Amino acid sequence: MQAADWIATPGLHITTAPTGGLQLEGDLASASIRLRKGLALANDSVLIIEAPGNSGELIIQAEWLGAGGAFFGAKDLARLNGPVVSKEIPLSAPPDKATSFGLKLWFAATTIDSTVNSLTLRQQVDWPAKSGITTVGTYLPTTTTVADSTISVSASSHQLTLKLNESGSASVHLNQPMPYTADGQVLLAVESLSPGTGLTLQAVFFDAQGTYLGDRSLLADLTRSSDYVTRFSYLAEPVPQSAARVTFKLWLSGPAGSTATVNGLLYGEPTK
């Protein structure tokens, strides 16, 4: 998030903070910043904001836009007071013809001295366009998890965050067995990884009676955020012949305090 991406009310000074967020200062009782570019609107869109230095009122406002920049009105999405940490704000009830939205933040205080550490637009995780994949199962962030004792797991409505309590590696088992299909594909949406952190995705196989058959690494030692798509046919080691069910496991490695945030894991097969 860069100060140059925003237009500020005259008299409001906006800079990029050392942490990568925004620092706002001004001898004003009310002021706003508006994102220069519109944001695409998709199903299940949620804004996540962290503004720990705001001591007054903060209003999050959307300006609904359609094809050709047509304006369909504005709506206050949230009114927040005091420090804000990881607040999730749904983009509820946009007009039917809206395809994007402009974003405006209004600040109200005796004197504005505020920070916005992060502002993220999170949308429904889905397969790439024209991939021809039908979802068999959606794993994160709602799936039941079983974690090693040295890793912490926290879930919100739109993401799962893993944190190592000790240096080394530890795993989280996504305990939701699904039918195994040899031409299956997997999409893992990684929101963020702390420096020096590695994330590995394994498939865990069972037979029809639920007997454990072994596991295979689908994606190994990921170190950057992205949406990763892979398939069982890419595995170097063959899947056990009697495999009938599959679940998944996430391994986190790195120093103590290493974190990974994952937005979703989809398991799918070619559309029939």
Side-chain angles (χ1 to χ4, degrees):
M1 194 163 50
Q2 300 293 315
D5 297 332
W6 298 83
I7 300 173
T9 298
L12 181 66
H13 185 56
I14 177 172
T15 57
T16 303
T19 58
L22 301 177
Q23 177 68 44
L24 302 101
E25 297 175 299
D27 189 16
L28 302 167
S30 176
S32 69
I33 59 174
R34 178 171 58 84
L35 198 59
R36 291 182 183 275
K37 294 183 179 180
L39 300 171
L41 186 62
N43 292 334
D44 202 28
S45 295
V46 172
L47 281 169
I48 301 175
I49 188 168
E50 181 178 344
N54 177 42
S55 58
E57 184 178 48
L58 170 60
I59 301 173
I60 315 295
Q61 187 178 77
E63 298 178 333
W64 306 120
L65 305 171
F71 179 68
F72 293 113
K75 179 181 180 180
D76 289 352
L77 301 174
R79 288 176 175 262
L80 310 174
N81 285 280
V84 179
V85 178
S86 296
K87 176 69 175 180
E88 297 190 0
I89 304 169
L91 270 68
S92 56
D96 291 339
K97 294 183 179 180
T99 58
S100 63
F101 67 100
L103 184 63
K104 183 178 286 188
L105 308 183
W106 286 90
F107 300 85
T110 304
T111 299
I112 295 174
D113 185 1
S114 299
T115 58
V116 179
N117 276 3
S118 64
L119 184 64
T120 305
L121 175 65
R122 181 165 295 115
Q123 298 177 331
Q124 182 178 6
V125 175
D126 207 349
W127 299 98
K130 300 180 181 180
S131 65
I133 298 297
T134 298
T135 299
V136 174
T138 302
Y139 273 83
L140 295 174
T142 57
T143 302
T144 301
T145 58
V146 180
D148 291 348
S149 60
T150 57
I151 192 170
S152 300
V153 182
S154 59
S156 70
S157 59
H158 287 81
Q159 62 183 196
L160 188 78
T161 299
L162 315 178
K163 181 179 180 180
L164 281 178
N165 302 322
E166 301 176 6
S167 62
S169 61
S171 67
V172 176
H173 183 200
L174 309 179
N175 191 21
Q176 184 182 346
M178 294 281 183
Y180 165 69
T181 177
D183 55 1
Q185 297 189 27
V186 180
L187 184 154
L188 180 68
V190 181
E191 170 76 13
S192 63
L193 288 164
S194 60
T197 302
L199 182 67
T200 293
L201 172 67
Q202 286 185 330
V204 185
F205 298 99
F206 304 86
D207 65 14
Q209 288 71 45
T211 302
Y212 169 73
L213 300 176
D215 51 58
R216 306 286 188 270
S217 292
L218 285 166
L219 297 164
D221 295 322
L222 306 176
T223 58
R224 61 182 180 85
S225 60
S226 185
D227 289 353
Y228 296 89
V229 177
T230 187
R231 56 185 70 187
F232 295 131
S233 60
Y234 291 166
L235 291 171
E237 186 179 358
V239 173
Q241 289 187 352
S242 56
R245 308 284 285 177
V246 64
T247 64
F248 298 93
K249 185 179 284 190
L250 291 168
W251 284 88
L252 194 64
S253 62
S258 294
T259 60
T261 299
V262 180
N263 291 344
L265 189 153
L266 301 182
Y267 167 43
E269 61 183 4
T271 302
K272 299 175 181 178

